[in-house]
Amino acid sequence: MNIYGYARLNIHRQNPKNFDLKEQAKIIQTWTEKNGYELKKIFTEIEPNDTSTDLPKLKKLISLIEQGKVSLLIIARLDRLTRKIRLYQKLINLFKKYKTRFISIEENLDSATKNGRKILETIHILALWDAKTISDRTHEMIENKRKIGEHVGHAPFGYEYQKKRLTPLVRELNIAKIIREKREEENLSYHKIARFLNNQRLKAKRGGKWYAETIKCICENPLYDRF
């Protein structure tokens, strides 16, 4: 069996006490030894900030899963894998597709058990629900800004106003999805993503060209985190 562990630490967020990378690795190592498993490797990741999409160790792990080279993935606690429900949705689909067993020690979650599969399915359902309600939340946020007198400009990329209500534009949201995937999964720079979109003749808002700064805004805006 190819057994891997993963531990993550955000240096700009208050992390749980006694739960640094060393402690997470120790929890994973202790569990595997207790259960008679031998770890191939523990990937340790330091996340530079809350908006960063540059997680090379997680990308490497995802690549191994897609190559069918991960039999079992172990983490110390669920939020150590990711805090982004959209990414969890992707990972859950990968675990199922490539038959990767997934264990989160603190929650006693094991995808090989009935209860574990139910928990993962619940996370998947929450991600789908969250994606469908994003336009409503965005509309509410804009309305709240209007009430306190803040200026609200043009609708963000992927949306338009219809009768003063923010409405999704499927074509633009699909482009935003491509942008996030190019950044998160292929680790392309903002300039390279802009060049790719322009070469593909995919238009920016109001038919304009793509620029690195526009790409950066879409990559860092939580508005696009959950679709």
Side-chain angles (χ1 to χ4, degrees):
M1 289 180 68
N2 292 324
I3 302 172
Y4 290 88
Y6 180 78
R8 180 180 60 84
L9 186 69
N10 187 320
I11 60 176
H12 289 281
R13 180 190 290 266
Q14 184 176 1
N15 288 281
K17 187 177 181 181
N18 299 325
F19 219 68
D20 58 15
L21 291 178
K22 184 177 180 180
E23 181 63 22
Q24 291 177 56
K26 181 180 178 182
I27 291 171
I28 293 169
Q29 188 70 51
T30 299
W31 187 93
T32 53
E33 291 176 357
K34 181 180 177 181
N35 288 273
Y37 294 118
E38 183 177 348
L39 275 168
K40 195 174 186 70
K41 183 176 182 178
I42 297 179
F43 287 98
T44 57
E45 190 104 75
I46 296 179
E47 188 175 8
N49 56 63
D50 287 338
T51 60
S52 174
T53 58
D54 187 18
L55 299 173
K57 300 297 179 64
L58 183 57
K59 288 183 175 70
K60 174 63 176 176
L61 189 54
I62 289 173
S63 176
L64 289 173
I65 291 173
E66 291 175 333
Q67 295 174 52
K69 295 181 179 180
V70 181
S71 306
L72 172 59
L73 172 61
I74 306 169
I75 60 174
R77 199 172 72 182
L78 270 176
D79 64 354
R80 296 304 87 196
L81 186 58
T82 179
R83 291 178 181 268
K84 297 179 180 179
I85 196 166
R86 175 174 170 261
L87 182 53
Y88 253 119
Q89 182 185 22
K90 174 185 175 179
L91 290 168
I92 290 169
N93 288 336
L94 285 177
F95 297 154
K96 185 176 181 180
K97 181 177 180 180
Y98 295 99
K99 295 180 174 58
T100 298
R101 184 182 174 190
F102 172 62
I103 288 176
S104 181
I105 297 169
E106 186 163 305
E107 292 85 4
N108 196 28
L109 187 158
D110 184 347
S111 66
T113 67
K114 185 176 181 179
N115 286 339
R117 288 191 293 272
K118 284 184 177 179
I119 292 172
L120 293 179
E121 180 62 26
T122 299
I123 294 174
H124 178 69
I125 291 171
L126 286 173
L128 293 175
W129 172 83
D130 195 68
K132 290 179 180 178
T133 60
I134 190 169
S135 63
D136 291 334
R137 295 197 307 276
T138 304
H139 175 70
E140 182 181 354
M141 175 189 69
I142 292 174
E143 287 301 314
N144 288 337
K145 285 189 174 185
R146 283 201 179 103
K147 287 178 182 178
I148 63 176
E150 289 189 22
H151 175 72
V152 178
H154 298 291
F157 185 77
Y159 298 88
E160 66 176 354
Y161 286 113
Q162 290 185 0
K163 297 180 179 180
K164 298 182 179 181
R165 184 173 179 81
L166 206 60
T167 304
L169 293 173
V170 175
R171 177 183 173 277
E172 289 189 1
L173 284 178
N174 285 337
I175 295 174
K177 183 177 180 181
I178 291 172
I179 291 171
R180 296 298 290 263
E181 288 177 348
K182 290 290 180 183
R183 180 64 177 171
E184 296 174 10
E185 298 176 16
E186 298 181 31
N187 201 28
L188 293 186
S189 68
Y190 302 131
H191 289 282
K192 287 184 178 179
I193 297 173
R195 190 181 308 126
F196 169 81
L197 295 176
N198 291 327
N199 289 340
Q200 294 294 316
R201 297 183 179 180
L202 297 174
K203 301 297 184 181
K205 201 73 173 176
R206 294 177 292 281
K209 288 187 176 181
W210 289 98
Y211 298 93
E213 189 61 32
T214 312
I215 300 296
K216 179 181 178 182
C217 290
I218 290 178
C219 288
E220 295 184 351
N221 191 336
L223 176 65
Y224 307 99
D225 277 351
R226 301 179 175 91
F227 64 83

Coordinates of all heavy atoms in Angstrom, one line a residue, residues 126-189:
L126 N -23.1 19.9 1.1 CA -23.0 21.3 1.6 C -22.3 22.1 0.5 O -22.6 23.3 0.3 CB -22.2 21.3 2.9 CG -23.0 20.8 4.1 CD1 -22.0 20.7 5.3 CD2 -24.1 21.8 4.4
A127 N -21.3 21.5 -0.2 CA -20.5 22.3 -1.2 C -21.5 22.6 -2.4 O -21.4 23.8 -2.9 CB -19.4 21.5 -1.7
L128 N -22.3 21.7 -2.8 CA -23.2 22.0 -3.8 C -24.3 23.0 -3.4 O -24.6 23.9 -4.2 CB -24.0 20.7 -4.2 CG -23.1 19.6 -4.8 CD1 -24.0 18.3 -5.0 CD2 -22.5 20.0 -6.2
W129 N -24.8 22.9 -2.2 CA -25.7 23.9 -1.7 C -25.1 25.3 -1.7 O -25.7 26.3 -2.1 CB -26.2 23.5 -0.3 CG -27.1 24.6 0.3 CD1 -28.4 24.8 0.1 CD2 -26.6 25.5 1.3 NE1 -28.8 25.9 0.9 CE2 -27.7 26.3 1.6 CE3 -25.4 25.8 1.9 CZ2 -27.6 27.4 2.5 CZ3 -25.3 26.9 2.8 CH2 -26.4 27.6 3.1
D130 N -23.8 25.3 -1.2 CA -23.1 26.6 -1.0 C -22.9 27.3 -2.4 O -23.1 28.5 -2.5 CB -21.8 26.4 -0.4 CG -21.2 27.7 0.1 OD1 -21.7 28.2 1.1 OD2 -20.1 28.1 -0.4
A131 N -22.6 26.5 -3.4 CA -22.4 27.0 -4.7 C -23.7 27.6 -5.3 O -23.7 28.7 -6.0 CB -21.9 25.9 -5.7
K132 N -24.8 27.0 -5.0 CA -26.1 27.5 -5.6 C -26.6 28.7 -4.9 O -27.4 29.5 -5.4 CB -27.1 26.4 -5.4 CG -26.9 25.2 -6.3 CD -28.0 24.1 -6.2 CE -27.7 22.9 -7.1 NZ -28.7 21.9 -6.9
T133 N -26.1 29.0 -3.7 CA -26.6 30.2 -2.9 C -25.7 31.4 -3.0 O -25.9 32.4 -2.4 CB -26.9 29.8 -1.5 OG1 -25.6 29.4 -0.9 CG2 -27.9 28.7 -1.3
I134 N -24.6 31.2 -3.7 CA -23.6 32.3 -3.7 C -24.1 33.6 -4.3 O -23.8 34.7 -3.8 CB -22.3 31.9 -4.5 CG1 -21.2 32.9 -4.2 CG2 -22.5 31.7 -6.0 CD1 -19.8 32.4 -4.7
S135 N -24.9 33.5 -5.3 CA -25.5 34.8 -5.9 C -26.4 35.5 -4.9 O -26.4 36.7 -4.8 CB -26.2 34.5 -7.2 OG -27.4 33.7 -6.9
D136 N -27.1 34.7 -4.1 CA -28.0 35.4 -3.1 C -27.2 36.1 -2.0 O -27.5 37.1 -1.6 CB -28.9 34.3 -2.4 CG -29.9 33.8 -3.4 OD1 -30.3 34.5 -4.3 OD2 -30.4 32.6 -3.2
R137 N -26.1 35.4 -1.6 CA -25.2 36.0 -0.6 C -24.5 37.3 -1.1 O -24.4 38.2 -0.4 CB -24.2 35.0 -0.1 CG -24.7 33.8 0.6 CD -23.7 33.0 1.4 NE -22.5 32.7 0.6 CZ -22.5 31.6 -0.2 NH1 -23.5 30.8 -0.3 NH2 -21.4 31.4 -0.9
T138 N -24.1 37.2 -2.4 CA -23.5 38.4 -3.0 C -24.5 39.5 -3.1 O -24.1 40.7 -2.8 CB -22.9 38.0 -4.4 OG1 -22.1 36.9 -4.3 CG2 -22.2 39.2 -5.0
H139 N -25.7 39.2 -3.5 CA -26.7 40.3 -3.6 C -27.0 40.9 -2.2 O -27.1 42.1 -2.1 CB -28.0 39.7 -4.1 CG -29.2 40.6 -4.1 ND1 -29.2 41.7 -5.0 CD2 -30.3 40.7 -3.4 CE1 -30.3 42.3 -4.8 NE2 -31.0 41.8 -3.8
E140 N -27.0 40.1 -1.2 CA -27.3 40.5 0.2 C -26.1 41.4 0.6 O -26.3 42.5 1.3 CB -27.4 39.4 1.1 CG -27.7 39.8 2.6 CD -27.8 38.6 3.5 OE1 -27.8 37.4 3.0 OE2 -28.0 38.8 4.7
M141 N -24.9 41.1 0.3 CA -23.7 41.9 0.7 C -23.8 43.2 0.0 O -23.5 44.3 0.7 CB -22.5 41.1 0.3 CG -21.2 41.9 0.5 SD -19.7 41.1 -0.2 CE -20.1 41.4 -2.0
I142 N -24.1 43.3 -1.3 CA -24.2 44.5 -2.0 C -25.3 45.4 -1.4 O -25.2 46.6 -1.2 CB -24.4 44.3 -3.5 CG1 -23.2 43.6 -4.1 CG2 -24.8 45.6 -4.2 CD1 -23.3 43.2 -5.5
E143 N -26.5 44.8 -1.1 CA -27.6 45.6 -0.5 C -27.2 46.2 0.8 O -27.6 47.3 1.1 CB -28.8 44.7 -0.4 CG -29.5 44.3 -1.7 CD -29.9 45.6 -2.5 OE1 -30.5 46.5 -1.8 OE2 -29.6 45.7 -3.7
N144 N -26.5 45.4 1.6 CA -26.0 45.9 2.9 C -25.1 47.1 2.7 O -25.1 48.1 3.5 CB -25.3 44.8 3.7 CG -26.3 43.8 4.2 OD1 -27.5 44.1 4.4 ND2 -25.8 42.6 4.5
K145 N -24.2 47.0 1.7 CA -23.3 48.1 1.4 C -24.1 49.4 1.0 O -23.8 50.5 1.4 CB -22.3 47.8 0.3 CG -21.2 46.8 0.8 CD -20.2 46.6 -0.3 CE -19.0 45.8 0.3 NZ -17.9 45.7 -0.7
R146 N -25.1 49.2 0.2 CA -26.0 50.3 -0.2 C -26.6 51.0 1.0 O -26.7 52.2 1.1 CB -27.0 49.8 -1.2 CG -26.5 49.6 -2.6 CD -27.7 49.6 -3.6 NE -27.2 49.4 -4.9 CZ -27.4 48.3 -5.6 NH1 -28.0 47.2 -5.0 NH2 -26.9 48.2 -6.8
K147 N -27.1 50.2 2.0 CA -27.8 50.7 3.1 C -26.9 51.6 4.0 O -27.4 52.5 4.7 CB -28.4 49.5 4.0 CG -29.6 48.8 3.3 CD -30.0 47.6 4.2 CE -31.2 46.9 3.5 NZ -31.6 45.7 4.3
I148 N -25.6 51.2 4.1 CA -24.7 52.0 4.9 C -24.0 53.1 4.1 O -23.1 53.8 4.6 CB -23.7 51.2 5.6 CG1 -22.8 50.4 4.6 CG2 -24.4 50.2 6.6 CD1 -21.7 49.6 5.3
G149 N -24.5 53.3 2.8 CA -24.0 54.4 2.0 C -22.7 54.1 1.2 O -22.1 55.0 0.7
E150 N -22.3 52.8 1.2 CA -21.1 52.5 0.4 C -21.4 52.5 -1.1 O -22.5 52.1 -1.5 CB -20.5 51.2 0.9 CG -19.8 51.2 2.2 CD -19.1 49.9 2.5 OE1 -18.7 49.2 1.6 OE2 -18.9 49.6 3.7
H151 N -20.4 52.9 -1.9 CA -20.6 52.9 -3.3 C -20.5 51.5 -3.9 O -19.7 50.7 -3.5 CB -19.5 53.8 -4.0 CG -19.6 53.7 -5.5 ND1 -20.6 54.3 -6.2 CD2 -18.8 53.1 -6.4 CE1 -20.4 54.1 -7.5 NE2 -19.3 53.3 -7.6
V152 N -21.5 51.1 -4.7 CA -21.5 49.8 -5.3 C -21.4 50.0 -6.8 O -22.3 50.7 -7.4 CB -22.8 49.0 -5.0 CG1 -22.8 47.7 -5.7 CG2 -22.9 48.9 -3.5
G153 N -20.3 49.5 -7.4 CA -20.1 49.8 -8.9 C -20.7 48.7 -9.7 O -21.8 48.2 -9.5
H154 N -20.0 48.4 -10.8 CA -20.5 47.4 -11.7 C -20.6 46.0 -11.1 O -19.9 45.7 -10.1 CB -19.6 47.3 -13.0 CG -19.5 48.6 -13.7 ND1 -20.5 49.1 -14.4 CD2 -18.5 49.5 -13.8 CE1 -20.2 50.3 -15.0 NE2 -18.9 50.5 -14.6
A155 N -21.4 45.2 -11.7 CA -21.5 43.8 -11.2 C -20.2 43.1 -11.4 O -19.5 43.3 -12.4 CB -22.6 43.0 -12.0
P156 N -19.8 42.2 -10.5 CA -18.5 41.5 -10.7 C -18.6 40.6 -11.9 O -19.6 40.2 -12.3 CB -18.3 40.8 -9.4 CG -19.7 40.6 -8.8 CD -20.5 41.8 -9.3
F157 N -17.4 40.2 -12.4 CA -17.3 39.2 -13.5 C -18.0 38.0 -13.1 O -17.9 37.4 -12.0 CB -15.8 38.9 -13.8 CG -15.7 38.0 -15.0 CD1 -15.8 38.5 -16.3 CD2 -15.4 36.7 -14.8 CE1 -15.6 37.7 -17.4 CE2 -15.3 35.9 -15.9 CZ -15.4 36.4 -17.2
G158 N -18.9 37.5 -14.0 CA -19.7 36.3 -13.7 C -21.1 36.6 -13.3 O -21.9 35.7 -13.2
Y159 N -21.4 37.9 -13.2 CA -22.8 38.3 -12.8 C -23.2 39.6 -13.5 O -22.4 40.3 -14.1 CB -22.8 38.6 -11.3 CG -22.5 37.4 -10.4 CD1 -21.1 37.1 -10.1 CD2 -23.4 36.5 -10.0 CE1 -20.8 36.0 -9.4 CE2 -23.1 35.4 -9.3 CZ -21.8 35.2 -8.9 OH -21.5 34.1 -8.2
E160 N -24.5 39.8 -13.5 CA -25.1 41.0 -14.1 C -26.3 41.4 -13.2 O -26.8 40.6 -12.5 CB -25.6 40.8 -15.5 CG -26.7 39.9 -15.7 CD -27.2 39.7 -17.1 OE1 -26.7 40.5 -18.0 OE2 -28.1 38.9 -17.4
Y161 N -26.7 42.7 -13.3 CA -27.9 43.1 -12.6 C -29.1 43.0 -13.5 O -29.1 43.5 -14.6 CB -27.7 44.6 -12.2 CG -26.7 44.8 -11.0 CD1 -25.5 45.4 -11.2 CD2 -27.0 44.3 -9.7 CE1 -24.7 45.6 -10.2 CE2 -26.2 44.4 -8.7 CZ -25.0 45.1 -8.9 OH -24.1 45.3 -7.9
Q162 N -30.1 42.3 -12.9 CA -31.4 42.3 -13.6 C -32.5 42.7 -12.5 O -32.7 42.0 -11.5 CB -31.7 40.8 -14.0 CG -30.9 40.4 -15.2 CD -31.3 39.0 -15.8 OE1 -32.2 38.4 -15.3 NE2 -30.5 38.6 -16.8
K163 N -33.1 43.8 -12.8 CA -34.1 44.4 -11.9 C -33.4 44.6 -10.5 O -34.0 44.2 -9.4 CB -35.3 43.5 -11.7 CG -36.1 43.4 -13.1 CD -37.3 42.5 -12.9 CE -38.1 42.4 -14.2 NZ -39.3 41.6 -14.1
K164 N -32.2 45.1 -10.5 CA -31.5 45.4 -9.3 C -31.0 44.2 -8.5 O -30.6 44.3 -7.4 CB -32.2 46.4 -8.4 CG -32.5 47.7 -9.0 CD -33.3 48.6 -8.0 CE -33.5 50.0 -8.7 NZ -34.2 50.9 -7.7
R165 N -31.1 43.0 -9.1 CA -30.7 41.8 -8.4 C -29.6 41.2 -9.2 O -29.6 41.1 -10.4 CB -31.9 40.8 -8.4 CG -31.6 39.5 -7.6 CD -32.8 38.7 -7.4 NE -32.5 37.5 -6.7 CZ -32.4 37.4 -5.4 NH1 -32.6 38.4 -4.7 NH2 -32.1 36.2 -4.8
L166 N -28.6 40.7 -8.4 CA -27.4 40.1 -9.0 C -27.7 38.7 -9.6 O -28.2 37.9 -8.8 CB -26.3 40.0 -8.0 CG -24.8 40.0 -8.5 CD1 -24.5 41.3 -9.3 CD2 -23.9 39.8 -7.4
T167 N -27.5 38.5 -10.9 CA -27.9 37.3 -11.5 C -26.6 36.6 -12.2 O -25.9 37.3 -12.8 CB -28.9 37.5 -12.6 OG1 -30.0 38.2 -12.0 CG2 -29.4 36.2 -13.3
P168 N -26.4 35.3 -12.0 CA -25.2 34.7 -12.5 C -25.3 34.6 -14.0 O -26.3 34.5 -14.7 CB -25.4 33.2 -11.9 CG -26.3 33.3 -10.8 CD -27.3 34.4 -11.1
L169 N -24.1 34.8 -14.6 CA -23.9 34.6 -16.1 C -23.0 33.3 -16.2 O -21.8 33.3 -15.9 CB -23.1 35.8 -16.6 CG -23.9 37.1 -16.6 CD1 -23.0 38.3 -17.1 CD2 -25.1 37.1 -17.5
V170 N -23.6 32.3 -16.7 CA -23.0 31.0 -16.8 C -21.7 31.0 -17.6 O -20.7 30.4 -17.1 CB -24.0 29.9 -17.4 CG1 -23.3 28.6 -17.6 CG2 -25.2 29.7 -16.5
R171 N -21.7 31.7 -18.7 CA -20.5 31.7 -19.6 C -19.3 32.3 -18.8 O -18.2 31.8 -18.8 CB -20.8 32.5 -20.8 CG -19.5 32.6 -21.7 CD -19.8 33.4 -23.0 NE -18.6 33.7 -23.7 CZ -17.7 34.7 -23.4 NH1 -18.0 35.4 -22.3 NH2 -16.7 34.9 -24.1
E172 N -19.6 33.4 -18.1 CA -18.5 34.1 -17.4 C -18.1 33.3 -16.2 O -16.9 33.3 -15.9 CB -19.0 35.5 -17.0 CG -19.1 36.5 -18.2 CD -19.3 37.9 -17.7 OE1 -19.3 38.2 -16.5 OE2 -19.4 38.8 -18.6
L173 N -19.0 32.7 -15.5 CA -18.6 31.9 -14.4 C -17.8 30.7 -14.8 O -16.9 30.2 -14.0 CB -19.9 31.4 -13.6 CG -20.5 32.5 -12.7 CD1 -21.8 31.9 -12.1 CD2 -19.6 33.0 -11.7
N174 N -18.0 30.1 -16.0 CA -17.2 29.0 -16.5 C -15.8 29.5 -16.8 O -14.8 28.8 -16.5 CB -17.9 28.5 -17.8 CG -19.1 27.6 -17.5 OD1 -19.2 27.1 -16.4 ND2 -19.9 27.5 -18.5
I175 N -15.7 30.8 -17.2 CA -14.3 31.3 -17.5 C -13.6 31.5 -16.1 O -12.4 31.2 -16.0 CB -14.4 32.6 -18.3 CG1 -14.9 32.4 -19.7 CG2 -13.0 33.3 -18.3 CD1 -15.2 33.6 -20.5
A176 N -14.4 32.0 -15.1 CA -13.8 32.2 -13.8 C -13.3 30.9 -13.2 O -12.3 30.8 -12.5 CB -14.8 32.9 -12.9
K177 N -14.1 29.8 -13.5 CA -13.7 28.5 -13.0 C -12.4 28.1 -13.7 O -11.5 27.5 -13.0 CB -14.8 27.5 -13.3 CG -14.5 26.1 -12.8 CD -15.7 25.2 -13.1 CE -15.4 23.8 -12.5 NZ -16.5 22.9 -12.8
I178 N -12.3 28.3 -15.0 CA -11.0 28.0 -15.7 C -9.8 28.7 -15.1 O -8.8 28.2 -14.9 CB -11.1 28.4 -17.2 CG1 -12.2 27.4 -17.9 CG2 -9.8 28.3 -17.9 CD1 -12.5 27.8 -19.3
I179 N -10.0 30.0 -14.8 CA -9.0 30.8 -14.2 C -8.5 30.2 -12.9 O -7.3 30.1 -12.6 CB -9.5 32.3 -14.0 CG1 -9.7 33.0 -15.3 CG2 -8.5 33.1 -13.1 CD1 -10.4 34.3 -15.2
R180 N -9.5 29.9 -12.0 CA -9.1 29.3 -10.7 C -8.4 28.0 -10.8 O -7.5 27.7 -10.1 CB -10.4 29.2 -9.8 CG -11.0 30.5 -9.4 CD -10.1 31.4 -8.6 NE -9.9 30.9 -7.3 CZ -10.6 31.3 -6.2 NH1 -11.6 32.3 -6.3 NH2 -10.4 30.8 -5.0
E181 N -8.9 27.2 -11.8 CA -8.2 25.9 -12.0 C -6.8 26.0 -12.5 O -5.9 25.3 -12.1 CB -9.1 25.0 -12.9 CG -10.4 24.5 -12.3 CD -11.2 23.8 -13.3 OE1 -11.0 23.8 -14.5 OE2 -12.2 23.1 -12.8
K182 N -6.6 27.0 -13.4 CA -5.3 27.2 -14.0 C -4.3 27.6 -12.9 O -3.1 27.3 -12.9 CB -5.3 28.3 -15.1 CG -6.0 27.9 -16.4 CD -5.2 26.8 -17.1 CE -5.9 26.4 -18.4 NZ -5.1 25.4 -19.1
R183 N -4.8 28.4 -11.9 CA -4.0 28.9 -10.9 C -3.8 27.9 -9.8 O -2.7 27.6 -9.3 CB -4.7 30.2 -10.2 CG -3.9 30.8 -9.1 CD -2.6 31.3 -9.5 NE -1.9 32.0 -8.4 CZ -0.6 32.4 -8.4 NH1 0.1 32.2 -9.5 NH2 -0.1 32.9 -7.4
E184 N -4.9 27.2 -9.3 CA -4.8 26.3 -8.2 C -4.3 24.9 -8.6 O -3.6 24.3 -7.8 CB -6.2 26.1 -7.6 CG -6.8 27.4 -7.0 CD -8.2 27.3 -6.5 OE1 -8.7 26.2 -6.5 OE2 -8.8 28.3 -6.2
E185 N -4.6 24.5 -9.8 CA -4.2 23.1 -10.2 C -3.0 23.1 -11.0 O -2.1 22.1 -10.9 CB -5.4 22.4 -10.9 CG -6.6 22.3 -10.0 CD -7.8 21.7 -10.8 OE1 -7.6 21.1 -11.9 OE2 -8.9 21.8 -10.3
E186 N -2.8 24.1 -11.9 CA -1.6 24.1 -12.8 C -0.5 25.1 -12.3 O 0.5 25.1 -12.9 CB -2.1 24.4 -14.2 CG -3.0 23.4 -14.8 CD -3.4 23.7 -16.2 OE1 -2.6 24.3 -16.9 OE2 -4.6 23.4 -16.6
N187 N -0.9 25.9 -11.3 CA 0.1 26.8 -10.7 C 0.6 27.8 -11.7 O 1.8 28.2 -11.6 CB 1.2 26.0 -10.0 CG 1.9 26.9 -9.0 OD1 1.3 27.8 -8.4 ND2 3.2 26.6 -8.7
L188 N -0.2 28.2 -12.6 CA 0.2 29.2 -13.6 C 0.2 30.6 -13.0 O -0.5 30.9 -12.1 CB -0.7 29.2 -14.8 CG -0.7 27.9 -15.7 CD1 -1.6 28.2 -16.9 CD2 0.7 27.5 -16.2
S189 N 1.1 31.5 -13.5 CA 1.2 32.8 -13.1 C 0.0 33.6 -13.6 O -0.7 33.2 -14.6 CB 2.5 33.5 -13.5 OG 2.4 33.7 -14.9

